[in-house]
Amino acid sequence: MKNIRSLLENTPACQASIRLDWGLATLILLMGLGLGWNYLARSDVYQSFYQSEFAPAVLFACGRDFQNVVTDEVPELFAFLRRDRDRSRHQLPCHTLPEQIPVTEISGFQYTHHHLLFLAALTWKLAIVLGIHDGPDWSSLNPVFGLFYGLSGAFFFGLCRLAMGRFATIAIVLFFLFSQHHLLGLASFRDYAKIPFLIGILFIVADLLKNNYSFHIMVTRSLLAGTMMGIGVGMRQDILQLLPLIVLAILFFLPGPVKFLQRLTVLGIYVLFFVLVGYPTVSRLQGESNPSFNLSQGLTSDFSEMLEIEHSIYEDGYIFHDMYTYTRIKEFAERVEKVSLNTVIRSGLDFFSKNYTDVSKHYLSEMLFHYPADILLRFIASARKAAESGIIKKHGIFIVISAMAIIFWYNLRIGIFALMAFLFIGGMPGLLFVARHSGHVKFLALFCHGIVLQAFISWLFRNRAEEGKVSHPWIGYSWPRSSLSFSKILLYCLLPLTVFMLLISSTLWIVRWYQNNHLQSYLAHIASLPGEHLTGYFSESPTGRTWAYSLKLQSEKFDKSIANTYAEYLAITFSHEKNCQSVPLMIGLDYKGTSVLNFSRQMTLQLPMEPATYFHPIYRSSEIKPEIIEFPDQAASCIQELKKIKITDTITLLPIFMWPENPEKYDLYHTLWLGWSSYQPFPFMIKHKNNGFNVKQGDG
């Protein structure tokens, strides 16, 4: 199909059309600003964006240096920054701050969110100069956050107008603005802040891919996109996920006969301005920029149900809990890497130390080595969820496939990039599929809905194409009947989509074959390790449960000069008698301490029809204290053996798994639930109807 005629021709009609589009984009921006501002101003909206880290912004707004503060020694400032816990303290008059304030080094969070803090500081300072407030006020940030909401809508309008007429564009953008799920994400502004930059950069790149611009204009567009990336990375580092797409787009997808040296120049300008503008953050991107922490959390069973993923006989972790993940990485560092990581209880690891950067890279490589198929599957599952986040949810995948087929038919080059962008941006939240990390993917599904809507409008006005009227700014492109030949549909729509599906499925099959063989030997090695026999006792439960059989988990003495985190496997071998296999068996694992370091769990197991041993890693430190493991009478009667296994340095990751007598019968990789059978995330773990797989201490 021929390219749509550009609206940038230097004619009065086209200039008027451009002015109208700018006017509509401005109207949408103002509408979004009002919606976002009004939503955040409601008293029942709980905002959480790490307000406790905004001390440098407070000092700068009050005329001091941009420095971090020992907030515990400044009660007024401490109360203001704990806004997430004390919502009554919304304002801090500058005159209440003492003259001498104890300062400390800028924290890693404050470095990597420099632009976010500076935005708050400038907003507060402007409100003070204008006499609106006499000090920082959380409510004065609401209009700025609303502005970001409006910018998301305005950039989305521009992106849609590249592919649709005004009727389809306005319909889709209004749905985007008034989407409750989209609006709810604004309350977590630290995570929302990347969205206008992400959509804005995609808009600029899509404009470069569609229009055959001169080298001078390409450089200007690249400079603008790089500047936006630099600002965005100082708001939230997630924007970096666009970098591979930008590199591919500039080097391989620009239209026309652009010389490779020119492509490199355009890319260089983009990277240069990205680094210059984002330098305060880019210069500190070390440990936290490594996805090992999020990936370790994302592989836990808590997210499997959200992504509709079914486990095999193992799981990497059982609880979405920051300190649980910190503990696992710290134990790995000390046992495998022989490196001690600094830990601050309630804050976690020192993400910005060189030790953590090195350890996290090794930990990430181990996860990729052990679970490549599971990680790839989470990308695919997340992309499917992105497809189902539009107007038509249950069958949204068919809307996306139809939209991609239409784009392929329009232009094969742009279609390939559009599909890559959808899979990559839609799949990245699979690393940690929580609402504040995945809410932005809604615009991908809505864009595809708009493409299908535009195709329907074009079909309604197909007679215009027969009369030679190819394009109109309101109804979009119209194509003649002669362009809808079967051979063109087959060549430009079905064939590229089939090739992509075969490529993804074959890659998934290969990594599944590898992972299955690798985990068979890896888990068999753990299962073969010698252990120390343990003996429980029958008594009244100290946790208050009506359970009888208990095993106290003895405390260890720790030499902090060597290591302060330790792990061992608890292996429970069950009988294969029929009365044990026919009913669920409950197990309670309790840790002593506050919720911050409490990894307690109550499990309900369904045993296989053969002898099996359940392996569960137990973590200990001077602060993390496993206390007791308990069984009801019925479960106790099914236990053949309890033993404690010391973990050697040859064991890197510590999965939780059920090891049956014939493990080769089971596929050791996760699968995507397709709805053809009842959903069972974990074959030997029964989900509690209220609390999921990890029932809190004392529940059940």
Side-chain angles (χ1 to χ4, degrees), residues 54-55 57-59 61-62 74-81 88-98 101 124 128 133-138:
F54 277 63
V58 172
L59 262 62
C62 290
V74 188
E76 302 86 353
L77 180 59
F78 180 80
F80 176 73
L81 295 177
S88 63
R89 300 300 299 266
H90 61 85
Q91 189 175 5
L92 177 68
C94 288
H95 64 81
T96 62
L97 292 175
I101 295 180
W124 285 333
I128 294 171
H133 300 293
D134 58 355
D137 189 309
W138 291 118

PDB file of all heavy atoms in Angstrom, residues 54-55 57-59 61-62 74-81 88-98 101 124 128 133-138:
ATOM      1  N   PHE A  54      12.138  12.982  50.215  1.00  0.00           N
ATOM      2  CA  PHE A  54      12.075  14.309  49.591  1.00  0.00           C
ATOM      3  C   PHE A  54      12.711  15.408  50.447  1.00  0.00           C
ATOM      4  O   PHE A  54      12.450  16.590  50.217  1.00  0.00           O
ATOM      5  CB  PHE A  54      10.616  14.667  49.277  1.00  0.00           C
ATOM      6  CG  PHE A  54      10.110  14.084  47.989  1.00  0.00           C
ATOM      7  CD1 PHE A  54      10.032  12.713  47.812  1.00  0.00           C
ATOM      8  CD2 PHE A  54       9.729  14.896  46.936  1.00  0.00           C
ATOM      9  CE1 PHE A  54       9.570  12.164  46.635  1.00  0.00           C
ATOM     10  CE2 PHE A  54       9.263  14.368  45.755  1.00  0.00           C
ATOM     11  CZ  PHE A  54       9.188  12.985  45.594  1.00  0.00           C
ATOM     12  N   ALA A  55      13.568  15.035  51.396  1.00  0.00           N
ATOM     13  CA  ALA A  55      14.210  16.048  52.241  1.00  0.00           C
ATOM     14  C   ALA A  55      15.025  17.069  51.434  1.00  0.00           C
ATOM     15  O   ALA A  55      14.940  18.280  51.700  1.00  0.00           O
ATOM     16  CB  ALA A  55      15.082  15.364  53.297  1.00  0.00           C
ATOM     17  N   ALA A  57      14.510  18.186  48.494  1.00  0.00           N
ATOM     18  CA  ALA A  57      13.567  19.084  47.828  1.00  0.00           C
ATOM     19  C   ALA A  57      13.020  20.112  48.808  1.00  0.00           C
ATOM     20  O   ALA A  57      12.839  21.292  48.462  1.00  0.00           O
ATOM     21  CB  ALA A  57      12.429  18.279  47.209  1.00  0.00           C
ATOM     22  N   VAL A  58      12.766  19.702  50.041  1.00  0.00           N
ATOM     23  CA  VAL A  58      12.265  20.626  51.062  1.00  0.00           C
ATOM     24  C   VAL A  58      13.301  21.704  51.350  1.00  0.00           C
ATOM     25  O   VAL A  58      12.982  22.905  51.396  1.00  0.00           O
ATOM     26  CB  VAL A  58      11.907  19.844  52.348  1.00  0.00           C
ATOM     27  CG1 VAL A  58      11.564  20.817  53.476  1.00  0.00           C
ATOM     28  CG2 VAL A  58      10.747  18.892  52.094  1.00  0.00           C
ATOM     29  N   LEU A  59      14.551  21.306  51.554  1.00  0.00           N
ATOM     30  CA  LEU A  59      15.602  22.274  51.852  1.00  0.00           C
ATOM     31  C   LEU A  59      15.797  23.255  50.703  1.00  0.00           C
ATOM     32  O   LEU A  59      15.930  24.468  50.916  1.00  0.00           O
ATOM     33  CB  LEU A  59      16.915  21.544  52.161  1.00  0.00           C
ATOM     34  CG  LEU A  59      17.237  21.349  53.657  1.00  0.00           C
ATOM     35  CD1 LEU A  59      16.167  20.497  54.314  1.00  0.00           C
ATOM     36  CD2 LEU A  59      18.609  20.727  53.825  1.00  0.00           C
ATOM     37  N   ALA A  61      13.610  24.180  48.431  1.00  0.00           N
ATOM     38  CA  ALA A  61      12.454  25.074  48.337  1.00  0.00           C
ATOM     39  C   ALA A  61      12.513  26.173  49.391  1.00  0.00           C
ATOM     40  O   ALA A  61      12.024  27.288  49.170  1.00  0.00           O
ATOM     41  CB  ALA A  61      11.166  24.269  48.489  1.00  0.00           C
ATOM     42  N   CYS A  62      13.134  25.866  50.541  1.00  0.00           N
ATOM     43  CA  CYS A  62      13.238  26.845  51.628  1.00  0.00           C
ATOM     44  C   CYS A  62      14.532  27.656  51.559  1.00  0.00           C
ATOM     45  O   CYS A  62      14.932  28.281  52.560  1.00  0.00           O
ATOM     46  CB  CYS A  62      13.126  26.140  52.973  1.00  0.00           C
ATOM     47  SG  CYS A  62      11.471  25.485  53.321  1.00  0.00           S
ATOM     48  N   VAL A  74      15.298  16.103  63.151  1.00  0.00           N
ATOM     49  CA  VAL A  74      14.487  17.295  62.842  1.00  0.00           C
ATOM     50  C   VAL A  74      13.022  16.863  62.861  1.00  0.00           C
ATOM     51  O   VAL A  74      12.464  16.470  61.836  1.00  0.00           O
ATOM     52  CB  VAL A  74      14.865  17.889  61.466  1.00  0.00           C
ATOM     53  CG1 VAL A  74      14.149  19.227  61.248  1.00  0.00           C
ATOM     54  CG2 VAL A  74      16.366  18.060  61.330  1.00  0.00           C
ATOM     55  N   PRO A  75      12.368  16.912  64.022  1.00  0.00           N
ATOM     56  CA  PRO A  75      11.014  16.353  64.163  1.00  0.00           C
ATOM     57  C   PRO A  75      10.001  16.944  63.185  1.00  0.00           C
ATOM     58  O   PRO A  75       9.158  16.219  62.652  1.00  0.00           O
ATOM     59  CB  PRO A  75      10.647  16.686  65.617  1.00  0.00           C
ATOM     60  CG  PRO A  75      11.949  16.882  66.318  1.00  0.00           C
ATOM     61  CD  PRO A  75      12.885  17.443  65.298  1.00  0.00           C
ATOM     62  N   GLU A  76      10.055  18.259  62.942  1.00  0.00           N
ATOM     63  CA  GLU A  76       9.093  18.888  62.040  1.00  0.00           C
ATOM     64  C   GLU A  76       9.217  18.320  60.622  1.00  0.00           C
ATOM     65  O   GLU A  76       8.217  18.012  59.968  1.00  0.00           O
ATOM     66  CB  GLU A  76       9.301  20.409  62.002  1.00  0.00           C
ATOM     67  CG  GLU A  76       9.179  21.089  63.356  1.00  0.00           C
ATOM     68  CD  GLU A  76      10.480  21.078  64.134  1.00  0.00           C
ATOM     69  OE1 GLU A  76      11.450  20.429  63.675  1.00  0.00           O
ATOM     70  OE2 GLU A  76      10.529  21.704  65.215  1.00  0.00           O
ATOM     71  N   LEU A  77      10.458  18.206  60.170  1.00  0.00           N
ATOM     72  CA  LEU A  77      10.695  17.672  58.837  1.00  0.00           C
ATOM     73  C   LEU A  77      10.326  16.193  58.768  1.00  0.00           C
ATOM     74  O   LEU A  77       9.743  15.733  57.786  1.00  0.00           O
ATOM     75  CB  LEU A  77      12.164  17.870  58.450  1.00  0.00           C
ATOM     76  CG  LEU A  77      12.591  17.358  57.069  1.00  0.00           C
ATOM     77  CD1 LEU A  77      11.780  18.035  55.978  1.00  0.00           C
ATOM     78  CD2 LEU A  77      14.075  17.584  56.850  1.00  0.00           C
ATOM     79  N   PHE A  78      10.649  15.456  59.817  1.00  0.00           N
ATOM     80  CA  PHE A  78      10.338  14.023  59.852  1.00  0.00           C
ATOM     81  C   PHE A  78       8.833  13.801  59.730  1.00  0.00           C
ATOM     82  O   PHE A  78       8.372  12.939  58.975  1.00  0.00           O
ATOM     83  CB  PHE A  78      10.863  13.406  61.147  1.00  0.00           C
ATOM     84  CG  PHE A  78      10.596  11.940  61.276  1.00  0.00           C
ATOM     85  CD1 PHE A  78      11.390  11.013  60.620  1.00  0.00           C
ATOM     86  CD2 PHE A  78       9.532  11.479  62.047  1.00  0.00           C
ATOM     87  CE1 PHE A  78      11.141   9.654  60.735  1.00  0.00           C
ATOM     88  CE2 PHE A  78       9.282  10.127  62.166  1.00  0.00           C
ATOM     89  CZ  PHE A  78      10.083   9.211  61.506  1.00  0.00           C
ATOM     90  N   ALA A  79       8.051  14.579  60.476  1.00  0.00           N
ATOM     91  CA  ALA A  79       6.591  14.439  60.432  1.00  0.00           C
ATOM     92  C   ALA A  79       6.049  14.784  59.048  1.00  0.00           C
ATOM     93  O   ALA A  79       5.129  14.131  58.549  1.00  0.00           O
ATOM     94  CB  ALA A  79       5.958  15.332  61.494  1.00  0.00           C
ATOM     95  N   PHE A  80       6.618  15.820  58.413  1.00  0.00           N
ATOM     96  CA  PHE A  80       6.157  16.214  57.072  1.00  0.00           C
ATOM     97  C   PHE A  80       6.470  15.131  56.041  1.00  0.00           C
ATOM     98  O   PHE A  80       5.643  14.820  55.181  1.00  0.00           O
ATOM     99  CB  PHE A  80       6.827  17.528  56.685  1.00  0.00           C
ATOM    100  CG  PHE A  80       6.501  17.990  55.283  1.00  0.00           C
ATOM    101  CD1 PHE A  80       5.257  18.504  54.980  1.00  0.00           C
ATOM    102  CD2 PHE A  80       7.457  17.904  54.271  1.00  0.00           C
ATOM    103  CE1 PHE A  80       4.948  18.927  53.693  1.00  0.00           C
ATOM    104  CE2 PHE A  80       7.165  18.323  52.990  1.00  0.00           C
ATOM    105  CZ  PHE A  80       5.911  18.836  52.695  1.00  0.00           C
ATOM    106  N   LEU A  81       7.662  14.557  56.115  1.00  0.00           N
ATOM    107  CA  LEU A  81       8.073  13.557  55.134  1.00  0.00           C
ATOM    108  C   LEU A  81       7.369  12.217  55.336  1.00  0.00           C
ATOM    109  O   LEU A  81       7.336  11.407  54.399  1.00  0.00           O
ATOM    110  CB  LEU A  81       9.587  13.344  55.191  1.00  0.00           C
ATOM    111  CG  LEU A  81      10.441  14.544  54.791  1.00  0.00           C
ATOM    112  CD1 LEU A  81      11.912  14.214  54.956  1.00  0.00           C
ATOM    113  CD2 LEU A  81      10.145  14.963  53.355  1.00  0.00           C
ATOM    114  N   SER A  88      -2.229  14.024  58.043  1.00  0.00           N
ATOM    115  CA  SER A  88      -2.614  15.339  58.538  1.00  0.00           C
ATOM    116  C   SER A  88      -1.506  16.376  58.350  1.00  0.00           C
ATOM    117  O   SER A  88      -1.771  17.577  58.346  1.00  0.00           O
ATOM    118  CB  SER A  88      -2.992  15.243  60.026  1.00  0.00           C
ATOM    119  OG  SER A  88      -1.862  14.841  60.794  1.00  0.00           O
ATOM    120  N   ARG A  89      -0.264  15.923  58.198  1.00  0.00           N
ATOM    121  CA  ARG A  89       0.869  16.845  58.058  1.00  0.00           C
ATOM    122  C   ARG A  89       1.135  17.093  56.579  1.00  0.00           C
ATOM    123  O   ARG A  89       1.998  16.489  55.979  1.00  0.00           O
ATOM    124  CB  ARG A  89       2.101  16.271  58.741  1.00  0.00           C
ATOM    125  CG  ARG A  89       1.942  16.003  60.224  1.00  0.00           C
ATOM    126  CD  ARG A  89       1.619  17.285  60.999  1.00  0.00           C
ATOM    127  NE  ARG A  89       2.675  18.275  60.882  1.00  0.00           N
ATOM    128  CZ  ARG A  89       3.658  18.398  61.755  1.00  0.00           C
ATOM    129  NH1 ARG A  89       3.700  17.607  62.817  1.00  0.00           N
ATOM    130  NH2 ARG A  89       4.575  19.314  61.601  1.00  0.00           N
ATOM    131  N   HIS A  90       0.348  17.986  55.968  1.00  0.00           N
ATOM    132  CA  HIS A  90       0.485  18.229  54.540  1.00  0.00           C
ATOM    133  C   HIS A  90       1.313  19.461  54.218  1.00  0.00           C
ATOM    134  O   HIS A  90       1.642  19.717  53.062  1.00  0.00           O
ATOM    135  CB  HIS A  90      -0.902  18.383  53.894  1.00  0.00           C
ATOM    136  CG  HIS A  90      -1.697  19.538  54.444  1.00  0.00           C
ATOM    137  ND1 HIS A  90      -1.553  20.809  53.956  1.00  0.00           N
ATOM    138  CD2 HIS A  90      -2.625  19.594  55.429  1.00  0.00           C
ATOM    139  CE1 HIS A  90      -2.369  21.621  54.615  1.00  0.00           C
ATOM    140  NE2 HIS A  90      -3.024  20.916  55.517  1.00  0.00           N
ATOM    141  N   GLN A  91       1.685  20.244  55.241  1.00  0.00           N
ATOM    142  CA  GLN A  91       2.404  21.493  54.999  1.00  0.00           C
ATOM    143  C   GLN A  91       3.525  21.661  56.026  1.00  0.00           C
ATOM    144  O   GLN A  91       3.419  21.230  57.173  1.00  0.00           O
ATOM    145  CB  GLN A  91       1.436  22.684  55.069  1.00  0.00           C
ATOM    146  CG  GLN A  91       2.057  24.004  54.626  1.00  0.00           C
ATOM    147  CD  GLN A  91       1.041  25.129  54.593  1.00  0.00           C
ATOM    148  OE1 GLN A  91      -0.097  24.945  54.987  1.00  0.00           O
ATOM    149  NE2 GLN A  91       1.455  26.293  54.129  1.00  0.00           N
ATOM    150  N   LEU A  92       4.628  22.299  55.582  1.00  0.00           N
ATOM    151  CA  LEU A  92       5.764  22.571  56.470  1.00  0.00           C
ATOM    152  C   LEU A  92       6.237  24.002  56.231  1.00  0.00           C
ATOM    153  O   LEU A  92       6.970  24.264  55.270  1.00  0.00           O
ATOM    154  CB  LEU A  92       6.909  21.590  56.201  1.00  0.00           C
ATOM    155  CG  LEU A  92       8.182  21.816  57.032  1.00  0.00           C
ATOM    156  CD1 LEU A  92       7.917  21.513  58.501  1.00  0.00           C
ATOM    157  CD2 LEU A  92       9.314  20.939  56.513  1.00  0.00           C
ATOM    158  N   PRO A  93       5.820  24.964  57.049  1.00  0.00           N
ATOM    159  CA  PRO A  93       6.313  26.340  56.896  1.00  0.00           C
ATOM    160  C   PRO A  93       7.833  26.379  57.040  1.00  0.00           C
ATOM    161  O   PRO A  93       8.404  25.758  57.943  1.00  0.00           O
ATOM    162  CB  PRO A  93       5.610  27.089  58.038  1.00  0.00           C
ATOM    163  CG  PRO A  93       4.401  26.257  58.359  1.00  0.00           C
ATOM    164  CD  PRO A  93       4.820  24.842  58.117  1.00  0.00           C
ATOM    165  N   CYS A  94       8.484  27.121  56.182  1.00  0.00           N
ATOM    166  CA  CYS A  94       9.956  27.147  56.187  1.00  0.00           C
ATOM    167  C   CYS A  94      10.517  27.698  57.494  1.00  0.00           C
ATOM    168  O   CYS A  94      11.605  27.298  57.924  1.00  0.00           O
ATOM    169  CB  CYS A  94      10.456  27.989  55.012  1.00  0.00           C
ATOM    170  SG  CYS A  94      10.249  27.188  53.393  1.00  0.00           S
ATOM    171  N   HIS A  95       9.791  28.608  58.142  1.00  0.00           N
ATOM    172  CA  HIS A  95      10.325  29.216  59.358  1.00  0.00           C
ATOM    173  C   HIS A  95      10.375  28.234  60.526  1.00  0.00           C
ATOM    174  O   HIS A  95      11.011  28.513  61.550  1.00  0.00           O
ATOM    175  CB  HIS A  95       9.496  30.447  59.741  1.00  0.00           C
ATOM    176  CG  HIS A  95       8.064  30.137  60.090  1.00  0.00           C
ATOM    177  ND1 HIS A  95       7.677  29.671  61.337  1.00  0.00           N
ATOM    178  CD2 HIS A  95       6.931  30.231  59.335  1.00  0.00           C
ATOM    179  CE1 HIS A  95       6.372  29.489  61.343  1.00  0.00           C
ATOM    180  NE2 HIS A  95       5.893  29.824  60.148  1.00  0.00           N
ATOM    181  N   THR A  96       9.700  27.093  60.394  1.00  0.00           N
ATOM    182  CA  THR A  96       9.742  26.101  61.479  1.00  0.00           C
ATOM    183  C   THR A  96      11.002  25.243  61.431  1.00  0.00           C
ATOM    184  O   THR A  96      11.282  24.516  62.390  1.00  0.00           O
ATOM    185  CB  THR A  96       8.511  25.179  61.408  1.00  0.00           C
ATOM    186  OG1 THR A  96       8.527  24.453  60.170  1.00  0.00           O
ATOM    187  CG2 THR A  96       7.222  25.973  61.519  1.00  0.00           C
ATOM    188  N   LEU A  97      11.753  25.327  60.356  1.00  0.00           N
ATOM    189  CA  LEU A  97      12.993  24.564  60.269  1.00  0.00           C
ATOM    190  C   LEU A  97      14.096  25.248  61.074  1.00  0.00           C
ATOM    191  O   LEU A  97      14.249  26.475  60.999  1.00  0.00           O
ATOM    192  CB  LEU A  97      13.444  24.425  58.809  1.00  0.00           C
ATOM    193  CG  LEU A  97      12.576  23.571  57.885  1.00  0.00           C
ATOM    194  CD1 LEU A  97      13.091  23.644  56.447  1.00  0.00           C
ATOM    195  CD2 LEU A  97      12.561  22.125  58.359  1.00  0.00           C
ATOM    196  N   PRO A  98      14.859  24.493  61.827  1.00  0.00           N
ATOM    197  CA  PRO A  98      15.951  25.107  62.609  1.00  0.00           C
ATOM    198  C   PRO A  98      17.049  25.645  61.694  1.00  0.00           C
ATOM    199  O   PRO A  98      17.202  25.202  60.552  1.00  0.00           O
ATOM    200  CB  PRO A  98      16.454  23.954  63.478  1.00  0.00           C
ATOM    201  CG  PRO A  98      16.043  22.711  62.761  1.00  0.00           C
ATOM    202  CD  PRO A  98      14.761  23.040  62.053  1.00  0.00           C
ATOM    203  N   ILE A 101      20.794  22.382  60.561  1.00  0.00           N
ATOM    204  CA  ILE A 101      20.160  21.090  60.268  1.00  0.00           C
ATOM    205  C   ILE A 101      21.252  20.073  59.981  1.00  0.00           C
ATOM    206  O   ILE A 101      22.115  20.308  59.125  1.00  0.00           O
ATOM    207  CB  ILE A 101      19.214  21.200  59.054  1.00  0.00           C
ATOM    208  CG1 ILE A 101      18.038  22.131  59.390  1.00  0.00           C
ATOM    209  CG2 ILE A 101      18.689  19.830  58.644  1.00  0.00           C
ATOM    210  CD1 ILE A 101      17.053  22.292  58.248  1.00  0.00           C
ATOM    211  N   TRP A 124       7.429  23.771  44.777  1.00  0.00           N
ATOM    212  CA  TRP A 124       7.265  24.367  46.106  1.00  0.00           C
ATOM    213  C   TRP A 124       7.853  25.778  46.153  1.00  0.00           C
ATOM    214  O   TRP A 124       7.252  26.680  46.736  1.00  0.00           O
ATOM    215  CB  TRP A 124       7.937  23.483  47.156  1.00  0.00           C
ATOM    216  CG  TRP A 124       7.163  22.242  47.473  1.00  0.00           C
ATOM    217  CD1 TRP A 124       5.821  22.067  47.368  1.00  0.00           C
ATOM    218  CD2 TRP A 124       7.696  21.005  47.957  1.00  0.00           C
ATOM    219  NE1 TRP A 124       5.467  20.796  47.753  1.00  0.00           N
ATOM    220  CE2 TRP A 124       6.604  20.117  48.125  1.00  0.00           C
ATOM    221  CE3 TRP A 124       8.969  20.539  48.262  1.00  0.00           C
ATOM    222  CZ2 TRP A 124       6.750  18.810  48.586  1.00  0.00           C
ATOM    223  CZ3 TRP A 124       9.125  19.240  48.725  1.00  0.00           C
ATOM    224  CH2 TRP A 124       8.021  18.382  48.886  1.00  0.00           C
ATOM    225  N   ILE A 128       5.954  29.323  47.004  1.00  0.00           N
ATOM    226  CA  ILE A 128       6.401  30.225  48.076  1.00  0.00           C
ATOM    227  C   ILE A 128       6.622  31.634  47.536  1.00  0.00           C
ATOM    228  O   ILE A 128       6.201  32.632  48.145  1.00  0.00           O
ATOM    229  CB  ILE A 128       7.689  29.673  48.722  1.00  0.00           C
ATOM    230  CG1 ILE A 128       7.400  28.355  49.452  1.00  0.00           C
ATOM    231  CG2 ILE A 128       8.283  30.691  49.690  1.00  0.00           C
ATOM    232  CD1 ILE A 128       8.652  27.630  49.922  1.00  0.00           C
ATOM    233  N   HIS A 133       1.841  29.579  49.410  1.00  0.00           N
ATOM    234  CA  HIS A 133       2.154  28.874  50.647  1.00  0.00           C
ATOM    235  C   HIS A 133       3.397  29.507  51.263  1.00  0.00           C
ATOM    236  O   HIS A 133       4.171  30.198  50.579  1.00  0.00           O
ATOM    237  CB  HIS A 133       2.404  27.380  50.397  1.00  0.00           C
ATOM    238  CG  HIS A 133       1.235  26.655  49.801  1.00  0.00           C
ATOM    239  ND1 HIS A 133       0.060  26.450  50.476  1.00  0.00           N
ATOM    240  CD2 HIS A 133       1.075  26.070  48.578  1.00  0.00           C
ATOM    241  CE1 HIS A 133      -0.785  25.782  49.706  1.00  0.00           C
ATOM    242  NE2 HIS A 133      -0.193  25.542  48.555  1.00  0.00           N
ATOM    243  N   ASP A 134       3.599  29.265  52.548  1.00  0.00           N
ATOM    244  CA  ASP A 134       4.809  29.761  53.203  1.00  0.00           C
ATOM    245  C   ASP A 134       5.822  28.652  53.430  1.00  0.00           C
ATOM    246  O   ASP A 134       6.747  28.790  54.230  1.00  0.00           O
ATOM    247  CB  ASP A 134       4.475  30.433  54.531  1.00  0.00           C
ATOM    248  CG  ASP A 134       3.750  29.511  55.497  1.00  0.00           C
ATOM    249  OD1 ASP A 134       3.426  28.369  55.096  1.00  0.00           O
ATOM    250  OD2 ASP A 134       3.509  29.919  56.649  1.00  0.00           O
ATOM    251  N   GLY A 135       5.651  27.556  52.716  1.00  0.00           N
ATOM    252  CA  GLY A 135       6.574  26.433  52.804  1.00  0.00           C
ATOM    253  C   GLY A 135       6.090  25.293  51.930  1.00  0.00           C
ATOM    254  O   GLY A 135       5.030  25.387  51.293  1.00  0.00           O
ATOM    255  N   PRO A 136       6.858  24.218  51.847  1.00  0.00           N
ATOM    256  CA  PRO A 136       6.435  23.062  51.044  1.00  0.00           C
ATOM    257  C   PRO A 136       5.069  22.542  51.494  1.00  0.00           C
ATOM    258  O   PRO A 136       4.785  22.441  52.689  1.00  0.00           O
ATOM    259  CB  PRO A 136       7.539  22.030  51.311  1.00  0.00           C
ATOM    260  CG  PRO A 136       8.736  22.839  51.675  1.00  0.00           C
ATOM    261  CD  PRO A 136       8.205  24.016  52.432  1.00  0.00           C
ATOM    262  N   ASP A 137       4.239  22.217  50.506  1.00  0.00           N
ATOM    263  CA  ASP A 137       2.893  21.701  50.765  1.00  0.00           C
ATOM    264  C   ASP A 137       2.631  20.586  49.758  1.00  0.00           C
ATOM    265  O   ASP A 137       2.760  20.801  48.548  1.00  0.00           O
ATOM    266  CB  ASP A 137       1.859  22.823  50.618  1.00  0.00           C
ATOM    267  CG  ASP A 137       0.479  22.397  51.085  1.00  0.00           C
ATOM    268  OD1 ASP A 137       0.013  21.331  50.630  1.00  0.00           O
ATOM    269  OD2 ASP A 137      -0.132  23.118  51.895  1.00  0.00           O
ATOM    270  N   TRP A 138       2.275  19.414  50.264  1.00  0.00           N
ATOM    271  CA  TRP A 138       2.071  18.283  49.354  1.00  0.00           C
ATOM    272  C   TRP A 138       0.966  18.563  48.345  1.00  0.00           C
ATOM    273  O   TRP A 138       1.044  18.120  47.191  1.00  0.00           O
ATOM    274  CB  TRP A 138       1.749  17.016  50.153  1.00  0.00           C
ATOM    275  CG  TRP A 138       2.880  16.473  50.970  1.00  0.00           C
ATOM    276  CD1 TRP A 138       2.928  16.340  52.319  1.00  0.00           C
ATOM    277  CD2 TRP A 138       4.139  15.984  50.485  1.00  0.00           C
ATOM    278  NE1 TRP A 138       4.132  15.812  52.721  1.00  0.00           N
ATOM    279  CE2 TRP A 138       4.898  15.580  51.608  1.00  0.00           C
ATOM    280  CE3 TRP A 138       4.707  15.853  49.222  1.00  0.00           C
ATOM    281  CZ2 TRP A 138       6.174  15.043  51.511  1.00  0.00           C
ATOM    282  CZ3 TRP A 138       5.983  15.333  49.106  1.00  0.00           C
ATOM    283  CH2 TRP A 138       6.714  14.939  50.232  1.00  0.00           C
TER     284      TRP A 138
END
